[in-house]
Amino acid sequence: RHVADFQLSIASIVENNSSDCLAQDLHLQAQQLAEQLKCDSVVSEISAGPGTVNFTINKELLAKTVLQQVWKDGSEYGVKSELFSTVPRQKAVIEFSSPNIAKKFHIGHLRSTIIGNFIANLKVALGHEVVRINYLGDWGMQFGLLGVGFQSFGNKEKLKSSPLQHLFEVYVQINKAAEDENTKKLAKDFFRKLEEHDEQTLSIWKQFRDLSIEEYIRIYKRIGVHFDEYSGESFYQEKAQEVLKMLEDKGLLQKTIKGTGIVDLSEKKDLSTVCTVMRSDGTSLYVTRQFLIFSFRDLAAAIDRMNKHSWDTMIYVTDKSQSNHFQHLFQILKLMGYDWAERCQHVSFGQVQGMKTRRGEVIFLEDVLNEVRSRMLQNMASTKTTKEIQDPMETAEKLGLAALIIQDFRGLLSSDYQFSWDRALQSRGDTGVFLQYTHARLYSLEQVHGNAQLSDVNVACLQEPDAISVLQHLLRYDEVLYRSSQDLQPKHIVSYLLTLGHLAAVAHKSLPVKGSAPDVAQARLCLFHAARSVLANGMKLLGITPVTQM
C-alpha cells in the first residue's frame, strides 16, 4: 500500500476545532478539500484519508532535483540552502580543549576538544569566520612547585623528548613533598620570582610551556584539530590587576566584614546573589578554573579578545560543573558596562564515566588515541577483508576516532554517559565504525564500476521504494544542519547520518549495480555517489575523516 509523502491534518486548520467536531465531519471536509486542490509538476496525486489530505510527490522530479543539487553543490550541499540565506555571516571566537600544563589531560578535555572542533567546523562550513583558542592552564602556584620539582627530579633530555609525560611525573613527585615546609617556601619563592619576571625563572617556565605546546600540536594533529591561538592564564597577569581596578573604580567591588571582596549580582542590589572574587588576604580567588573559583583573568581575557578580534559571538566549551562560573562571568562583564556579554555563550557538557585504558586511568590524550588504535587494529586483524589495506595503522586511527566521536555525540551534550569500548567499536548498529564501513563500501562501488555521470542518468530507473527513501532523506540534510546550527548540538547530524547509512546499506543490497542494464546501473551509481558524498560531508563536520577502504 502506498504511503503519502506529505499529510495535512484537517483538525489543525479547522477554526472552531471543538472536541464535538465529529470524525466523520473532518473526513468529509478532507474529501472536499482534496477535490478542490489541483496537482502540478511537483505534486502528482492528492487524496483524502481519515481526517487528512494526502500528497504524493513526483518521484522523477524528486530524483532529478536531489541528484542535481548534490552534484552541483558538492561539499557545500545543504549549506547553500535557502534556510541559511537570511543568516548573517559572523565572526566567532571559540575557546575549547584548554588543558593544564603538567596535569592530567582528562576525559573532560577530550570532550571539550571534539565538541569545540565540531562547532568550529560547522560555523566555518556555514561561511562564518572562526578563531579557535586554546586557553592553557599555564600559570599559578603549581608552577612554583613544578620549578622546584624540576630542579630536584627533572631531566632535560626527557623534557625535550616527552614534555607532557615528564612534567606530569615531576609534578606528581614534588607533590608528595608539598607539605614539607622547606618545599613550600622554595615553591613560593620560585613563583614570586616568576611574577617578578626574573629572567632565569621565566626562561625555565617558558621552556615548560613551549615544549608542552609543541607536543600538544602534534597530538591534536592526530585527531585533525588545530588552534589559531594558544593563549593562557599567564597572558593576563597584569591585565587582571587592571580589571580589579576597574571594578573598584565603578564601585562594583564591595568588602565584607571579614575583608572578602564580593560583587553584588542581584537585581535589587540587596546582596541576595553575590559572587566572591577576592580572599581576605588580597589574592584573587583563583585555584584552577576547575574549582570554579572566580578569576579576574577570565574577565581580562574576555575584554582583551573583544579588543583584539571584535567578535560577534564568543563560545566557551567546558563541562557543566562550570556553568555558574560562566553565568557570573557574563553578569559581571555586563555590570562593567560591556553589553557584548550577552553575545557570550557557554556550551556545557556532561561527564563520561568508565573510560579506562588497559594501563588504567586516562592521564594523557595520547593514551586514549593509542588504545583506540590498537583495539581497532585487533578487530581489523580478526576480519577476513583487512589484508589489502595500504596503511592499517592510519585506517585504525580514523576508525577509532569515528567510534569515539559518534559514541560521544549521540546524545545531548549536557548528559552524562557511561563509556564502553566494546559498544563504541562495534561494526554494526549505530556506531562510528558502521558509518566508516558504509562510506568505504560505497567508495569501492565507484572504484569497481567507474564514476557515474549525471548528464546521462535516466531518473525513471530510480523509482524503487529503497531508492526513494534514500533520496527523500538526502533532501532533508539542510534542515538537520539548520537545527544543529541553532542549538550547537551534534546529535541531529549524528542521527541523520546513521539513518542515511542504514538506508544506503539496504539500497546497496536491494539495488545491485553489477548485472543491471546499463541505464539502471548508471542511475544507481549516481544515487550511491550522492549518498556517499553527503555521508562524507556530515562526517567531516563532526571531525571524522572518512576512510576509503577497511
Side-chain angles (χ1 to χ4, degrees):
R1 191 179 77 78
H2 170 69
V3 183
D5 298 309
F6 295 98
Q7 209 170 45
L8 171 72
S9 159
I10 291 294
S12 68
I13 55 167
V14 173
E15 275 172 16
N16 57 348
N17 187 10
S18 55
S19 51
D20 55 359
C21 194
L22 296 171
Q24 63 217 55
D25 292 348
L26 289 176
H27 190 54
L28 190 67
Q29 283 175 306
Q31 278 176 319
Q32 288 169 342
L33 182 58
E35 280 161 18
Q36 287 170 351
L37 294 169
K38 303 261 187 296
C39 293
D40 61 10
S41 62
V42 177
V43 178
S44 58
E45 191 187 323
I46 301 169
S47 63
T52 61
V53 178
N54 302 330
F55 301 89
T56 304
I57 55 174
N58 174 342
K59 298 294 187 281
E60 289 192 20
L61 184 73
L62 169 78
K64 194 173 157 193
T65 310
V66 172
L67 293 179
Q68 272 178 348
Q69 204 65 51
V70 175
W71 217 268
K72 185 168 127 270
D73 292 347
S75 63
E76 290 183 319
Y77 175 70
V79 173
K80 286 187 159 181
S81 156
E82 64 270 20
L83 281 178
F84 296 106
S85 59
T86 58
V87 178
R89 300 285 173 262
Q90 293 189 324
K91 184 172 191 179
V93 165
I94 307 174
E95 181 201 291
F96 63 105
S97 196
S98 307
N100 297 304
I101 289 177
K103 293 192 176 175
K104 287 190 289 203
F105 190 107
H106 56 72
I107 194 65
H109 293 124
L110 175 60
R111 282 206 90 178
S112 172
T113 307
I114 59 179
I115 293 165
N117 188 48
F118 157 71
I119 295 171
N121 289 346
L122 182 63
K123 292 216 171 264
V124 168
L126 296 173
H128 303 296
E129 189 185 340
V130 171
V131 181
R132 303 163 187 243
I133 296 182
N134 199 337
Y135 185 74
L136 299 172
D138 64 356
W139 200 253
M141 202 50 213
Q142 82 245 34
F143 282 92
L145 268 177
L146 193 61
V148 173
F150 195 75
Q151 284 158 1
S152 313
F153 313 112
N155 175 318
K156 287 207 166 91
E157 290 311 305
K158 280 187 182 169
L159 180 65
K160 280 207 168 71
S161 61
S162 49
L164 300 180
Q165 197 171 344
H166 186 53
L167 289 175
F168 178 72
E169 285 162 2
V170 169
Y171 190 63
V172 168
Q173 275 182 289
I174 192 67
N175 252 319
K176 291 176 187 158
E179 290 311 302
D180 167 61
E181 286 308 315
N182 188 38
T183 306
K184 268 187 188 167
K185 185 183 165 309
L186 288 170
K188 261 192 173 149
D189 288 347
F190 189 94
F191 189 56
R192 198 196 66 243
K193 282 183 183 169
L194 259 188
E195 291 198 295
E196 290 166 359
H197 298 291
D198 170 68
E199 265 184 45
Q200 198 187 351
T201 318
L202 263 180
S203 84
I204 295 172
W205 168 84
K206 196 174 174 317
Q207 205 182 7
F208 292 166
R209 188 181 191 275
D210 293 349
L211 290 169
S212 294
I213 290 176
E214 266 177 45
E215 178 90 337
Y216 279 134
I217 289 172
R218 182 182 67 75
I219 298 164
Y220 286 133
K221 204 170 172 180
R222 275 181 72 176
I223 54 175
V225 171
H226 71 276
F227 291 91
D228 302 301
E229 203 175 291
Y230 279 85
S231 173
E233 292 156 2
S234 60
F235 283 59
Y236 299 106
Q237 279 320 96
E238 277 78 18
K239 289 188 172 130
Q241 295 306 311
E242 291 165 26
V243 169
L244 177 59
K245 193 169 174 335
M246 282 165 80
L247 285 173
E248 282 174 336
D249 294 347
K250 287 182 188 284
L252 294 169
L253 189 68
Q254 303 182 31
K255 286 271 165 69
T256 63
I257 304 161
K258 290 177 182 164
T260 315
I262 58 169
V263 175
D264 185 1
L265 299 175
S266 59
E267 293 213 351
K268 294 180 180 166
K269 297 291 166 234
D270 55 5
L271 297 178
S272 55
T273 320
V274 298
C275 176
T276 307
V277 293
M278 229 162 108
R279 285 203 192 92
S280 52
D281 65 1
T283 53
S284 98
L285 255 189
Y286 184 81
V287 185
T288 67
R289 202 145 87 179
Q290 258 67 30
F291 295 110
L292 280 194
I293 295 172
F294 212 77
S295 156
F296 293 124
R297 288 171 212 173
D298 288 349
L299 289 166
I303 296 165
D304 180 56
R305 287 172 195 169
M306 188 45 153
N307 294 338
K308 188 171 165 187
H309 298 294
S310 52
W311 43 262
D312 298 296
T313 173
M314 177 154 65
I315 298 167
Y316 296 86
V317 185
T318 72
D319 73 70
K320 61 185 176 187
S321 70
Q322 300 190 33
S323 296
N324 266 348
H325 171 78
F326 284 104
Q327 219 176 333
H328 289 166
L329 178 71
F330 305 156
Q331 281 175 297
I332 292 175
L333 284 166
K334 199 145 178 8
L335 287 174
M336 291 171 79
Y338 295 115
D339 289 339
W340 47 255
E342 290 175 355
R343 291 181 277 144
C344 294
Q345 190 182 355
H346 177 217
V347 173
S348 62
F349 53 82
Q351 289 186 317
V352 184
Q353 276 97 19
M355 186 189 246
K356 286 195 164 38
T357 66
R358 293 192 176 112
R359 290 162 55 184
E361 186 199 4
V362 172
I363 296 178
F364 305 107
L365 172 58
E366 195 137 40
D367 294 341
V368 181
L369 301 183
N370 293 343
E371 178 86 8
V372 74
R373 184 173 65 189
S374 74
R375 283 177 185 255
M376 213 52 245
L377 275 169
Q378 231 175 341
N379 291 5
M380 284 157 60
S382 61
T383 58
K384 298 183 286 291
T385 54
T386 310
K387 293 182 186 58
E388 67 269 24
I389 290 188
Q390 281 137 10
D391 190 344
M393 286 286 263
E394 199 180 320
T395 302
E397 181 118 307
K398 288 173 184 165
L399 294 176
L401 190 60
L404 289 179
I405 288 175
I406 295 298
Q407 171 140 308
D408 199 279
F409 285 178
R410 279 186 59 191
L412 263 176
L413 293 178
S414 57
S415 29
D416 303 337
Y417 73 92
Q418 191 68 35
F419 182 83
S420 149
W421 285 110
D422 292 340
R423 196 175 62 239
L425 300 178
Q426 276 171 358
S427 56
R428 292 169 190 277
D430 291 343
T431 66
V433 181
F434 163 73
L435 282 185
Q436 289 282 33
Y437 180 65
T438 308
H439 182 272
R441 271 174 77 184
L442 295 175
Y443 183 84
S444 82
L445 193 69
E446 290 180 55
Q447 295 310 102
V448 172
H449 298 283
N451 292 341
Q453 291 307 315
L454 189 64
S455 47
D456 50 0
V457 163
N458 177 3
V459 285
C461 300
L462 289 176
Q463 299 307 297
E464 299 87 351
D466 288 344
I468 298 300
S469 296
V470 172
L471 290 162
Q472 283 178 330
H473 195 63
L474 291 176
L475 193 59
R476 290 191 196 104
Y477 184 55
D478 61 343
E479 295 167 28
V480 175
L481 291 182
Y482 186 74
R483 278 187 73 183
S484 279
S485 75
Q486 293 302 101
D487 63 7
L488 302 182
Q489 295 284 339
K491 71 183 182 109
H492 313 301
I493 296 175
V494 169
S495 82
Y496 173 89
L497 294 178
L498 290 166
T499 303
L500 178 58
H502 291 301
L503 292 173
V506 169
H508 185 263
K509 251 197 192 116
S510 69
L511 308 172
V513 173
K514 193 179 177 181
S516 301
D519 56 343
V520 174
Q522 264 299 320
R524 288 176 181 174
L525 262 182
C526 256
L527 175 74
F528 291 127
H529 169 81
R532 182 183 74 79
S533 172
V534 174
L535 194 60
N537 292 348
M539 286 162 78
K540 286 173 192 164
L541 283 182
L542 298 174
I544 297 170
T545 306
V547 300
T548 51
Q549 44 172 203
M550 59 183 277

